[in-house]
């Protein structure tokens, strides 16, 4: 058989294109298609003839001519023209072909299709031939079992019909649905389209033989569909399968962990209301008391009785009303179902999960009091900054443990806190007793405002703030008292604490009456109360994207107080939490303001609106302001908020801010440090640690402060072998009398973060199901406001989450468990306690030598030398005299 010979030129075939015989033209095209990749440079001279054949509608093989023209333009580098002719080639353009030409044009085709589909709002027409190629690609992926690629193409092209088809054709429907959900949450940028995808996935999950109700309820939570979640929970509780009841409990735990208070309240309202459930509900919504061996200081008996009587009366009235309503509306329910509903409500209102966490934190507290004693011994109590930082460190170290031993043992030292330092110290008790929903009011009773008694307004305001910290995100029972305290006082300091406490207790509920109360405080135009009112309004409407934001922005233009404007700016950021492109109008409006404080607020609106999305446009915008704005505050906030946008991809943050960390502007360097701390919190990421280590020795004190805090955020709950070098640096910085106050403050705060929650808590920005915990992210955002106002540093406690594995049985009791872990115990071991000897060695300071003392020593040395010389001269004289006398 004769081997095929490769022609040396395509000139002969090209001449046939000019012939009038269609058969000869067809013959030329067929053979040119075989050699086009070798002789495209020759064919390019006759490209006009090839294009003419394609444009001739009567020519039978016009599609083949289009294919040849496409390949020639491909080699000429004109990919758009190549794609146009490839689309005209019809069946001749084979998408399955494994050639560089086909793969390049298919990629180009997909890019154009995706771009046109994203511009669908502009009513851009999509070429049907482009659609045909994409659908052929999808079919090819499904035929080859590449369902994940098909899901990606369908989502990128916004083809819900194709996504449904791919899922139904897949071999493992639950796995494909899980992958689609993961991609939807992480990579789908448009929020509206993401919600459409979630609706479709919910329907597809429900059509499965064994629906995954945990995932379904998570999706419904993002869609804010509380009635449907309530139906699913009721259906599972009514099931005869024991596993279904346990599944309902697990769904409730997951919903609570995501910290969407308003949604959970709606779910509870939609559940059946048995008559006997009303009384426990009135008593509940609270955690059981933690043993108080080392715990809270008992308040005065009279104060406690008054507080408890008031609470009991209110609870009784609420119980009676609830019983009446339930008896009228609810049908008779089986006792078993009533018991299940009560347990479910205990989970949803926080009683069970918070109680378990409190029990864990109390019994496993490993906070080292010697660390605090060392800090107390090295800082000057007369310096309010380091004194307050030490109180904050104690609060963080004992967050949620209810142990205030250090404060009780150092009352005289604590009493040196005056004015706003006293406000902060009182608020610190709220961090220590966080989660004590039932006893919180009684614990803070000695400091709360009382009728007929006029105590320190700083202590009273701090106590109201502490109540908010105690009941944050679970404060339905505490809201009436906080509101009453706000309305009853005209003192701006007490109003300041009440506004912050009310915002925390009613976090995200968007209550119109409470908003009006806070707005009335804002309109008094007092700088102290107005700042807290602005933040409180943001906390109240957190994540709603409410139109009330425009009212707040309008007042920010009217007032002359920078503190009020700054509070409103932060509040606007909180309102826009997680709403993504819905905040673009407000961002554009605020970023064009002349007032730098409002531009500063625009950075927080941008960072929190796109939190965890990694949105390229948001990152580019923040980087633009970081290098171009004339205000250092705006530039610092822009870099810092990169951390919030990159929460979902912490490994990207050090790469993006690496150059900014070397900026000539110290504010930009501080922002870079905090951005890394926020994005990489609790990860121990090596790149983040390396970048922050260099910044710990920065020439500017507040940059070293930010680097210390950020390093602590990154290294919290990491193995002690990794953390130990940083602990030593902190100890040295705190004990160095020549270190600047700002840097020492950062080191003290960092020491508190490292040992947070009795060394049993980390910065938990994500729930166990992988979604962002709103309260935690919000707490970290407001914490960064400590730059201007130190009391806001206590918001960091909202970001703490216990590092525990808690297992329950069907009675919601914790059985004895044994977990097998193959890692070495040192990875999880608590740090060794600090000894007194070590503390003495650390506290040892070199004795100072005065210049007068040195001069006196020098004079004495000269006198001694002269005396010695004189004595030596006398001795020589005596020796000579003796020798002379002997010789005579």
């Amino acid at each position: 058989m004769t081997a095929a010979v490769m022609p040396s030129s395509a000139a002969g075939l090209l001449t046939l294109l000019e012939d009038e015989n269609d058969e000869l033209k067809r013959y030329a095209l067929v053979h040119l298609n075989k050699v086009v990749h070798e002789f495209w440079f020759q064919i390019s001279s006759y490209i006009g003839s090839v294009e003419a054949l394609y444009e001739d509608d009567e020519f039978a093989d016009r599609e083949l001519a289009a294919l040849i023209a496409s390949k020639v333009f491909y080699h000429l580098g004109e990919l758009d023209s190549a794609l146009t002719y490839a689309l005209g080639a019809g069946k001749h353009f084979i998408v399955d072909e494994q050639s560089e030409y086909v793969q390049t044009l298919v990629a180009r085709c997909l890019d154009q299709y995706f771009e046109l589909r994203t511009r669908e709002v502009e009513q851009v027409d999509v070429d049907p031939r482009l659609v045909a190629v994409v659908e052929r690609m999808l079919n090819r992926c499904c035929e080859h079992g590449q369902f994940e690629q098909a899901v990606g193409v369908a989502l990128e092209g916004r083809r819900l019909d194709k996504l449904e088809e791919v899922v139904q054709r897949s071999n493992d429907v639950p796995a494909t649905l899980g992958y689609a959900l993961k991609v939807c949450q992480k990579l789908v940028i448009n929020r509206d389209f993401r919600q459409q995808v979630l609706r479709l996935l919910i329907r597809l999950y429900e059509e499965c033989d064994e629906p995954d109700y945990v995932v379904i309820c998570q999706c419904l939570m993002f869609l804010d569909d509380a009635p449907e979640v309530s139906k699913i929970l009721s259906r599972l509780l009514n099931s005869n399968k024991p596993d279904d009841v346990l599944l309902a409990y697990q769904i409730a735990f997951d919903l609570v962990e995501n910290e969407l208070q308003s949604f959970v309240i709606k779910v509870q309202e939609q559940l059946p209301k048995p008559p006997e459930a009303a009384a426990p509900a009135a008593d509940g919504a609270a955690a059981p008391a933690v043993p108080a061996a080392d715990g809270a200081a008992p308040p005065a008996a009279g104060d406690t009785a008054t507080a408890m009587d008031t609470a009991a009366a209110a609870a009784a009235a609420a119980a009676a009303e609830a019983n009446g309503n339930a008896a009228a509306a609810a049908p008779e329910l089986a006792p078993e179902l009533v018991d299940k509903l009560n347990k479910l409500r205990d989970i949803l209102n926080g009683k069970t999960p918070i109680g378990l966490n409190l029990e864990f934190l109390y019994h496993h507290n490993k906070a080292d009091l010697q660390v605090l004693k060392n800090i107390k011994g090295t800082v000057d109590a007369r310096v309010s900054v380091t004194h307050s930082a030490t109180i904050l460190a104690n609060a963080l170290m004992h967050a949620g443990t209810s142990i205030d031993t250090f404060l009780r043992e150092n009352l005289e030292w604590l009493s040196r806190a005056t004015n706003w330092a006293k406000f902060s110290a009182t608020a610190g008790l709220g961090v220590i007793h966080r989660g004590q929903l039932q006893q919180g009011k009684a614990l803070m009773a000695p400091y709360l405002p009382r009728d007929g008694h006029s105590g320190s307004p700083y202590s009273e305001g701090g106590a109201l703030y502490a109540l908010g910290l105690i009941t944050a995100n679970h404060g339905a029972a505490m809201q009436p008292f906080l509101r009453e305290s706000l309305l009853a006082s005209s003192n701006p300091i007490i109003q300041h604490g009440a506004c912050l406490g009310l915002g925390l207790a009613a976090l995200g509920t968007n209550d119109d009456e409470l908003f009006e109360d806070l707005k009335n405080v804002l309109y008094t135009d007092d700088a102290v109360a107005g700042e807290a009112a602005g933040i409180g309004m943001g906390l109240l409407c957190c994540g709603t994207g409410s139109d009330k934001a425009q009212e707040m922005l309008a007042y920010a233009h009217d007032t002359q107080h920078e503190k009020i404007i700054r509070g409103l700016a932060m509040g606007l950021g909180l309102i826009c939490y997680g709403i993504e492109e819905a905040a673009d109008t407000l961002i554009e409006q605020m970023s064009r303001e002349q007032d730098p404080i409002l531009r500063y607020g625009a950075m927080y609106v941008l960072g929190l609106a796109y939190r965890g999305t990694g949105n390229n446009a948001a990152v580019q915008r923040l980087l633009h302001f970081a290098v171009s704005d004339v205000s250092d505050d705006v530039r610092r906030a822009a870099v810092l908020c990169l951390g919030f946008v990159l929460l979902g991809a912490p490994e990207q943050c050090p790469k993006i801010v690496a150059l900014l960390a070397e900026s000539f502007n110290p504010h930009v360097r501080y922002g870079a440090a905090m951005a890394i701390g926020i994005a990489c919190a609790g990860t121990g990421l090596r790149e983040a640690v390396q970048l922050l280590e260099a910044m710990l020795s920065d020439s500017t004190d507040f940059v070293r402060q930010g680097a210390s805090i950020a390093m602590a955020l990154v290294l919290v709950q990491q193995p002690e072998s990794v953390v130990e070098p940083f602990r030593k640096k902190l100890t040295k910085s705190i004990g160095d009398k020549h270190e600047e106050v700002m840097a020492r403050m950062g080191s003290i705060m960092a020491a508190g973060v490292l040992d947070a929650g009795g060394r049993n808590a980390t910065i938990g920005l994500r729930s166990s199901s992988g979604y962002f915990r709103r309260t935690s992210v919000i707490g970290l955002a407001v914490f960064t406001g400590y730059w201007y106002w130190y009391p806001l540093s206590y918001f960091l406690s909202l970001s703490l989450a216990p590092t525990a594995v808690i297992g329950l049985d069907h009675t919601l009791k914790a059985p004895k468990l044994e977990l097998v872990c193959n890692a070495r115990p040192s990875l999880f071991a608590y740090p060794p306690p600090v000894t007194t000897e070590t503390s003495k060695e650390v506290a040892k300071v070199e004795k100072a030598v005065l210049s007068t003392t040195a001069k006196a020593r020098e004079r004495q040395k000269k006198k001694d030398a002269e005396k010695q010389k004189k004595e030596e001269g006398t001795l020589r004289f005596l020796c000579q005299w003796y020798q002379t006398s002997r010789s005579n």
Side-chain angles (χ1 to χ4, degrees):
M1 186 170 59
T2 306
V5 179
M6 175 65 67
S8 60
S9 173
L13 295 172
L14 291 171
T15 58
L16 295 177
L17 295 177
E18 305 297 335
D19 199 285
E20 295 182 358
N21 190 325
D22 288 350
E23 286 297 324
L24 291 177
K25 293 178 183 178
R26 181 180 181 280
Y27 174 85
L29 291 174
V30 169
H31 287 79
L32 282 173
N33 187 43
K34 296 177 182 178
V35 297
V36 65
H37 293 299
E38 287 77 23
F39 299 108
W40 59 268
F41 52 89
Q42 286 185 319
I43 303 173
S44 63
S45 302
Y46 291 82
I47 193 66
S49 301
V50 178
E51 289 178 310
L53 291 176
Y54 168 66
E55 292 169 359
D56 185 0
D57 294 334
E58 296 180 359
F59 183 59
D61 294 295
R62 57 191 299 271
E63 291 183 350
L64 184 58
L67 181 63
I68 295 172
S70 172
K71 292 179 179 180
V72 171
F73 280 116
Y74 165 73
H75 285 290
L76 290 172
E78 298 182 18
L79 296 183
D80 289 335
S81 299
L83 178 58
T84 301
Y85 282 106
L87 294 175
K91 65 179 182 298
H92 292 285
F93 181 65
I94 303 171
V95 295
D96 294 338
E97 185 180 318
Q98 297 298 316
S99 66
E100 184 180 349
Y101 158 73
V102 171
Q103 291 179 354
T104 302
L105 287 195
V106 166
R108 189 78 170 184
C109 173
L110 292 175
D111 289 342
Q112 280 197 10
Y113 181 72
F114 297 157
E115 183 182 354
L116 291 172
R117 289 290 295 175
T118 54
R119 293 166 55 194
E120 192 176 17
V121 180
E122 303 172 14
Q123 297 182 348
V124 178
D125 294 329
V126 182
D127 191 334
R129 299 173 302 173
L130 203 63
V131 177
V133 172
V134 173
E135 291 181 350
R136 282 158 60 193
M137 277 294 301
L138 283 168
N139 289 330
R140 191 198 74 174
C141 290
C142 292
E143 290 170 0
H144 289 76
Q146 299 172 331
F147 296 106
E148 292 185 354
Q149 288 88 332
V151 167
V153 173
L155 287 175
E156 282 281 349
R158 301 193 177 189
R159 292 290 300 273
L160 294 180
D161 56 333
K162 288 298 176 182
L163 176 61
E164 182 176 0
E165 180 184 332
V166 169
V167 170
Q168 292 173 345
R169 290 177 63 178
S170 67
N171 300 325
D172 188 350
V173 173
T176 306
L177 282 172
Y179 178 78
L181 178 61
K182 180 181 176 182
V183 173
C184 170
Q185 293 288 10
K186 289 189 175 183
L187 301 179
V188 175
I189 297 176
N190 185 275
R191 189 164 179 253
D192 293 335
F193 178 66
R194 190 188 309 132
Q195 292 181 345
Q196 295 176 29
V197 175
L198 290 176
R199 287 286 182 193
L200 173 63
L201 294 179
I202 290 170
R203 181 167 61 81
L204 294 176
Y205 266 115
E206 290 176 340
E207 292 174 359
C208 295
D209 295 333
E210 295 183 0
D212 189 341
Y213 287 114
V214 173
V215 175
I216 291 174
C217 288
Q218 293 285 349
C219 295
L220 290 170
M221 180 190 68
F222 284 107
L223 297 171
D224 199 27
D225 193 346
E228 192 61 33
V229 173
S230 297
K231 290 179 184 177
I232 292 174
L233 292 176
S234 300
R235 192 186 316 150
L236 292 172
L237 290 180
N238 283 301
S239 174
N240 296 323
K241 300 178 182 178
D243 288 348
D244 286 350
V245 178
L246 297 179
L247 182 61
Y249 294 157
Q250 185 59 52
I251 291 171
F253 277 114
D254 290 343
L255 293 176
V256 172
E257 193 179 12
N258 288 319
E259 299 180 342
L260 296 175
Q261 180 181 193
S262 56
F263 181 79
V264 173
I265 291 174
K266 292 176 187 175
V267 172
Q268 292 185 71
E269 291 173 350
Q270 297 291 330
L271 290 172
K273 299 178 179 63
E276 58 269 33
D283 299 335
V290 172
D294 295 324
D303 299 334
T304 307
T306 304
M308 297 301 287
D309 290 346
T310 305
E321 183 180 354
N323 272 320
N325 294 340
E332 190 68 26
L333 299 175
E336 291 183 3
L337 181 58
V338 171
D339 181 58
K340 295 174 186 176
L341 280 170
N342 289 338
K343 289 179 179 177
L344 187 67
R345 289 182 184 278
D346 285 345
I347 297 171
L348 291 173
N349 62 32
K351 177 181 178 180
T352 301
I354 292 177
L356 292 167
N357 287 334
L358 287 177
E359 188 176 352
F360 165 75
L361 290 172
Y362 176 78
H363 289 293
H364 294 83
N365 172 48
K366 299 293 181 183
D368 193 347
L369 289 180
Q370 190 61 46
V371 174
L372 288 168
K373 291 176 182 177
N374 293 348
I375 296 174
K376 170 180 167 288
T378 54
V379 302
D380 189 348
R382 293 171 298 179
V383 180
S384 178
V385 173
T386 51
H387 186 268
S388 297
T390 307
I391 297 173
L392 170 65
N394 170 66
L396 293 176
M397 285 184 184
H398 295 94
T401 64
S402 296
I403 297 174
D404 56 4
T405 306
F406 177 76
L407 298 179
R408 289 151 60 108
E409 291 178 351
N410 298 278
L411 292 176
E412 182 182 353
W413 173 83
L414 185 64
S415 65
R416 300 194 183 185
T418 58
N419 299 334
W420 285 106
K422 182 183 289 188
F423 177 94
S424 297
T426 311
L429 293 173
V431 176
I432 294 173
H433 298 296
R434 188 182 175 213
Q436 293 284 0
L437 305 182
Q438 188 174 18
Q439 294 187 342
K441 188 175 177 182
L443 290 169
M444 300 306 301
Y447 312 100
L448 291 170
R450 288 166 289 175
D451 295 335
H453 299 277
S454 57
S456 168
Y458 295 99
S459 291
E460 293 178 358
L464 294 172
Y465 180 19
L467 283 181
L469 293 169
I470 290 173
T471 61
N473 205 49
H474 297 280
M478 194 60 66
Q479 289 174 26
F481 174 77
L482 289 169
R483 184 186 182 196
E484 180 183 341
S485 300
L486 176 65
L487 298 176
S489 176
S490 59
N491 188 307
I493 301 168
I494 297 176
Q495 288 180 333
H496 185 93
C499 288
L500 292 176
L502 192 57
L504 285 166
L507 184 65
T509 57
N510 200 24
D511 188 292
D512 290 333
E513 291 184 5
L514 296 181
F515 185 85
E516 288 299 321
D517 293 334
L518 291 172
K519 190 168 69 172
N520 291 336
V521 174
L522 178 71
Y523 285 172
T524 61
D525 206 42
D526 181 89
V528 172
E531 180 182 29
I535 296 174
M537 292 160 78
L539 292 169
L540 182 68
C541 303
C542 174
T544 61
S546 170
D547 293 338
K548 297 167 184 173
Q550 291 300 326
E551 294 182 49
M552 296 167 63
L553 183 60
Y555 190 77
H557 289 135
D558 295 339
T559 185
Q560 300 297 315
H561 295 291
E562 288 189 0
K563 287 176 69 69
I564 294 179
I565 300 173
R566 190 171 292 114
L568 288 169
M570 179 62 76
L572 289 170
L574 302 180
I575 288 178
C576 295
Y577 172 85
I579 66 174
E580 300 178 28
E581 63 271 5
D584 285 348
T585 303
L586 183 61
I587 294 169
E588 186 68 25
Q589 184 178 357
M590 292 180 67
S591 61
R592 294 179 180 275
E593 294 281 353
Q594 291 185 351
D595 189 341
I597 302 178
L598 289 177
R599 296 202 305 276
Y600 161 90
M603 301 304 102
Y604 276 92
V605 173
L606 182 55
L608 292 175
Y610 287 95
R611 63 94 187 90
T613 61
N615 186 282
N616 287 333
V619 171
Q620 289 175 6
R621 229 168 158 181
L622 288 171
L623 288 173
H624 169 73
F625 280 100
V627 299
S628 65
D629 201 277
V630 295
S631 169
D632 284 337
D633 289 345
V634 178
R635 297 178 71 176
R636 184 183 66 249
V639 183
L640 185 148
C641 287
L642 282 170
F644 291 109
V645 178
L646 298 172
L647 280 177
E651 67 281 354
Q652 297 296 328
C653 189
K655 300 174 185 176
I656 291 177
V657 303
L659 290 177
L660 295 173
E662 300 175 1
S663 170
F664 72 94
N665 190 322
H667 291 267
V668 173
R669 297 201 300 273
Y670 172 89
M674 291 300 292
I676 295 172
I678 292 167
C680 305
T683 63
L685 200 65
R686 184 176 301 175
E687 294 81 0
V689 172
Q690 290 175 348
L691 200 57
L692 290 171
E693 276 180 346
M695 303 180 75
L696 288 172
S697 55
D698 195 274
S699 59
T700 307
D701 55 354
F702 63 78
V703 177
R704 295 199 298 277
Q705 179 195 82
S708 297
I709 296 171
M711 183 73 92
L713 293 174
V714 173
L715 292 180
V716 62
Q717 286 290 289
Q718 295 301 307
E720 187 60 19
S721 58
V722 179
V723 181
E724 187 178 9
F726 179 56
R727 285 189 191 275
K728 291 181 179 178
K729 289 182 180 179
L730 291 181
T731 304
K732 181 180 178 182
S733 173
I734 294 169
D736 187 356
K737 299 292 185 183
H738 303 289
E739 178 66 285
E740 284 89 345
V741 172
M742 287 293 97
R744 295 182 77 191
M745 173 192 173
S747 298
I748 296 170
M749 293 171 68
V753 174
L754 280 180
D755 294 343
R759 294 178 171 171
N760 288 305
T762 186
I763 305 297
L765 300 180
R766 285 179 180 268
S767 64
S768 58
S769 52
Y771 302 114
F772 290 105
R773 299 168 64 227
R774 185 175 69 180
T775 306
S776 297
V777 179
I778 288 303
L780 200 54
V782 181
F783 160 75
T784 60
Y786 85 89
W787 177 277
Y788 301 101
W789 192 234
Y790 289 158
L792 297 181
S793 57
Y794 289 91
F795 269 81
L796 182 60
S797 63
L798 303 182
S799 302
L800 299 178
T803 50
V805 176
I806 301 177
L808 304 177
D809 58 18
H810 67 283
T811 62
L812 298 185
K813 301 296 181 183
K816 291 185 178 181
L817 296 174
E818 285 190 5
L819 299 179
V820 177
C821 179
N822 294 324
R824 62 184 186 276
S826 60
L827 280 177
F828 305 98
Y830 291 104
V834 177
T835 60
T836 309
E837 289 76 11
T838 304
S839 66
K840 287 181 180 178
E841 182 182 346
V842 171
K844 185 177 179 181
V845 180
E846 187 178 350
K847 187 177 180 180
V849 179
L850 299 176
S851 59
T852 54
T853 305
K855 291 178 181 178
R857 286 179 180 176
E858 196 65 32
R859 286 195 298 269
Q860 185 64 36
K861 190 184 292 185
K862 287 181 180 180
K863 287 181 181 180
D864 292 343
E866 290 175 0
K867 183 178 179 181
Q868 185 178 358
K869 188 175 179 181
K870 187 175 181 181
E871 289 176 352
E872 289 176 354
T874 305
L875 183 61
R876 281 197 300 271
F877 172 76
L878 290 173
C879 290
Q880 290 175 359
W881 175 82
Y882 178 73
Q883 290 175 358
T884 305
S885 63
R886 286 290 299 270
S887 61
N888 293 332

